[in-house]
Amino acid sequence: MRKYLSESEAEDIRRIVEAENEETGAKYGIPDDADRYVLKKTGGHVICFAGIYELGETFGGRGAVEVSLFTDRGYRRKHLAAGMLSRCFSEGKVLKFSQYGSEAGDAFLKAAGASYDYDELCMELRLPDADVTEYPQKEELPENGGIRYYNAHSELYVLPMGKKAYVYGVRTDVSHLRKGSAGALLREVLPLLRKEGFETAMLQVSGKNVPALRLYEKCGFAVTERLKIWHL
């Protein structure tokens, strides 16, 4: 297990993921920012890998890590992915997987003993031109180039991704849940993002989080993709 990739290893990983996306129509991101990696190589090239992300989450009372697991399509019948899972298990944490729900992916995870938990919904909003009437308080985050917006009882974070603004970490004080605080903040932030040059806002939300899903739909967000979340 290692924390860093060589230039050639990073290129191999990119090639494997891009081939998967081309073959299945999925839109997996390149996991070149994982906290650590498990690699299987042959002839000096990566043929199977797991990118492991620390989530700071727990599942069933145990710590959880998210795993991005891919195999070069020329080696899929050699059961490399199953061996890779056993190496990920060495940390004793629950493994979380996010996948687009291909039959082969579902079958592999079921055979490995994973349990389907819920759908993670990817939502987008084409930002309309609108007058900025309110300017929420904000804090710049130099560690990742993002911005924290907040009011008295709610906060959200925005991470620039080219012309897209990735919205995450929407949170409201427990004492003010369902009182419109998060919705008010989001409606202030969205026109501000358009004014700052973003064309699209995007976010992810659990399909189980019905109040949040309804809030985002009221603000104009629509579901564009679904990811199946599995735990092992």
Side-chain angles (χ1 to χ4, degrees), residues 166-203:
Y166 179 64
V167 180
Y168 67 102
V170 181
R171 188 192 68 82
T172 298
D173 294 339
V174 174
S175 61
H176 281 74
L177 290 174
R178 294 178 174 81
K179 294 184 178 180
S181 177
L185 178 61
L186 189 57
R187 291 184 182 91
E188 289 177 1
V189 170
L190 291 175
L192 184 59
L193 295 177
R194 183 70 184 96
K195 182 178 179 180
E196 293 179 351
F198 295 103
E199 296 178 353
T200 305
M202 55 187 294
L203 53 81

Side-chain angles (χ1 to χ4, degrees), residues 1-231:
M1 198 169 293
R2 60 171 71 181
K3 290 186 177 181
Y4 304 105
L5 298 171
S6 69
E7 187 174 330
S8 62
E9 290 167 345
E11 182 56 35
D12 285 341
I13 283 175
R14 176 178 295 277
R15 173 182 52 80
I16 291 170
V17 176
E18 288 179 345
E20 173 76 15
N21 287 341
E22 181 178 355
E23 179 181 349
T24 65
K27 297 180 181 179
Y28 291 111
I30 308 300
D32 54 6
D33 58 348
D35 293 297
R36 51 197 174 280
Y37 297 89
V38 181
L39 307 177
K40 174 66 176 176
K41 301 175 73 172
T42 186
H45 291 285
V46 177
I47 58 173
C48 184
F49 74 91
I52 301 173
Y53 293 83
E54 288 290 347
L55 301 175
E57 296 177 2
T58 59
F59 184 83
R62 295 164 56 197
V65 293
E66 184 159 5
V67 178
S68 292
L69 177 63
F70 292 88
T71 302
D72 187 298
R73 55 186 169 186
Y75 293 86
R76 289 178 185 165
R77 296 184 181 274
K78 298 185 180 295
H79 308 293
L80 299 177
M84 194 67 65
L85 281 182
S86 66
R87 296 171 67 183
C88 294
F89 268 128
S90 64
E91 298 189 343
K93 295 184 177 181
V94 174
L95 307 184
K96 176 183 177 182
F97 302 87
S98 303
Q99 69 112 10
Y100 280 91
S102 68
E103 291 185 5
D106 287 352
F108 169 75
L109 290 170
K110 286 179 182 178
S115 298
Y116 165 72
D117 194 4
Y118 61 91
D119 280 1
E120 185 85 357
L121 307 180
C122 303
M123 307 184 76
E124 290 192 4
L125 166 66
R126 183 77 175 180
L127 293 168
D129 292 323
D131 294 332
V132 178
T133 57
E134 300 288 343
Y135 287 84
Q137 299 180 81
K138 69 177 185 177
E139 172 190 1
E140 296 186 359
L141 307 173
E143 63 270 21
N144 66 359
I147 299 175
R148 170 182 176 252
Y149 293 95
Y150 60 98
N151 59 24
H153 302 291
S154 295
E155 66 179 0
L156 63 81
Y157 296 79
V158 173
L159 185 65
M161 301 176 67
K163 290 293 185 179
K164 292 186 176 182
Y166 179 64
V167 180
Y168 67 102
V170 181
R171 188 192 68 82
T172 298
D173 294 339
V174 174
S175 61
H176 281 74
L177 290 174
R178 294 178 174 81
K179 294 184 178 180
S181 177
L185 178 61
L186 189 57
R187 291 184 182 91
E188 289 177 1
V189 170
L190 291 175
L192 184 59
L193 295 177
R194 183 70 184 96
K195 182 178 179 180
E196 293 179 351
F198 295 103
E199 296 178 353
T200 305
M202 55 187 294
L203 53 81
Q204 289 183 223
V205 60
S206 166
K208 297 191 297 185
N209 191 345
V210 176
L213 179 58
R214 288 175 176 168
L215 166 62
Y216 300 141
E217 289 175 337
K218 287 180 180 178
C219 289
F221 285 87
V223 175
T224 56
E225 298 167 1
R226 291 176 179 266
L227 289 167
K228 286 187 174 181
I229 306 300
W230 297 72
H231 288 95

